[in-house]
Amino acid sequence: MTPDLDLPARRRRNARLIAALTQLIGACAEAAGAVYRLIAAAPPDQEGVEVDLLPCLQVSLSAAPLLDMARAEDDARWPAAVARERAAAGRTFAARCALAAVGEVFEPDGPLGPHGQAAAMELASAGEDVAARWRHDPQEAAALVQELVASGEVTVDELLDDAVDFAVLTGLLTLHEVRTASDPSAAAELCVHAVPHMALAVTLASADLD
């Protein structure tokens, strides 16, 4: 049976992003290793070790553009899926905004208006919860996703995509700190600390719960 290419599995839908994340994980490890190898090779009685921070800085500066480009490439590969996702997001945002509109009405103060912004923040918060739980107990996180989806206000993919975004952003913010690290070891440690967040993003981007 030929698979429906208009309905890609999440692993295929996010293939370029996943590949870029794994590339970034390797780059983080290599940049940290470049620092640690020089420190490890220094004689025990040597007080200072000259270390090149350029690899760590390159990872920090290139990470976000790399992932943005990968996501754009994924979108270009699956235009039908993108259109469907946007339509689903519009319906779910509309449903959530309708609920919010029962309360006090505010003047629009942004592209989404106050209710749209509140709905977006709520979805982002749910994605953060899913990511946090997935790190410690994937089954518990999957159960949370199904519970939230049962309300009819969000879709599985919306929640998982927001969880991916949260994990990626956490990793990117960690790498951003490399630029102001106090010493080479601190910069290397930040590269290492970013890896679990990127690895979690890979897992979430690959997850299919439907």
Side-chain angles (χ1 to χ4, degrees):
M1 180 177 177
T2 302
D4 185 350
L5 296 183
D6 285 335
L7 295 172
R10 283 179 56 78
R11 185 174 283 106
R12 295 191 70 201
R13 170 70 180 88
N14 298 312
R16 297 292 175 88
L17 177 62
I18 292 170
L21 284 165
T22 56
Q23 177 184 337
L24 185 54
I25 289 170
C28 285
E30 180 58 33
V35 172
Y36 291 133
R37 282 193 295 271
L38 289 174
I39 296 174
D45 57 350
Q46 182 174 331
E47 291 186 4
V49 179
E50 185 174 345
V51 175
D52 183 8
L53 280 180
L54 183 59
C56 292
L57 291 173
Q58 286 177 330
V59 170
S60 175
L61 293 169
S62 65
L66 172 69
L67 299 182
D68 282 339
M69 181 173 65
R71 174 157 284 171
E73 290 174 350
D74 276 329
D75 288 350
R77 294 178 75 204
W78 302 102
V82 171
R84 186 167 50 252
E85 288 162 6
R86 288 175 179 168
R91 287 196 301 272
T92 55
F93 273 127
R96 297 163 79 183
C97 291
L99 291 174
V102 174
E104 184 178 357
V105 177
F106 297 91
E107 290 296 324
D109 57 1
L112 295 176
H115 300 313
Q117 290 171 356
M121 291 176 63
E122 184 181 348
L123 179 59
S125 178
E128 179 180 349
D129 288 343
V130 170
R133 295 196 191 193
W134 203 289
R135 188 185 303 278
H136 301 290
D137 190 336
Q139 290 186 338
E140 180 183 341
L144 174 61
V145 170
Q146 298 299 345
E147 177 184 336
L148 293 170
V149 168
S151 69
E153 298 175 15
V154 291
T155 66
V156 170
D157 284 340
E158 278 183 290
L159 284 170
L160 290 178
D161 287 347
D162 268 73
V164 170
D165 289 348
F166 175 77
V168 168
L169 181 59
T170 304
L172 290 177
L173 289 175
T174 302
L175 287 177
H176 190 271
E177 295 180 27
V178 167
R179 304 172 203 181
T180 56
S182 58
D183 59 67
S185 293
E189 287 170 9
L190 287 166
C191 287
V192 172
H193 290 165
V195 168
H197 303 296
M198 301 301 178
L200 176 61
V202 169
T203 299
L204 291 165
S206 303
D208 265 314
L209 300 183
D210 290 335

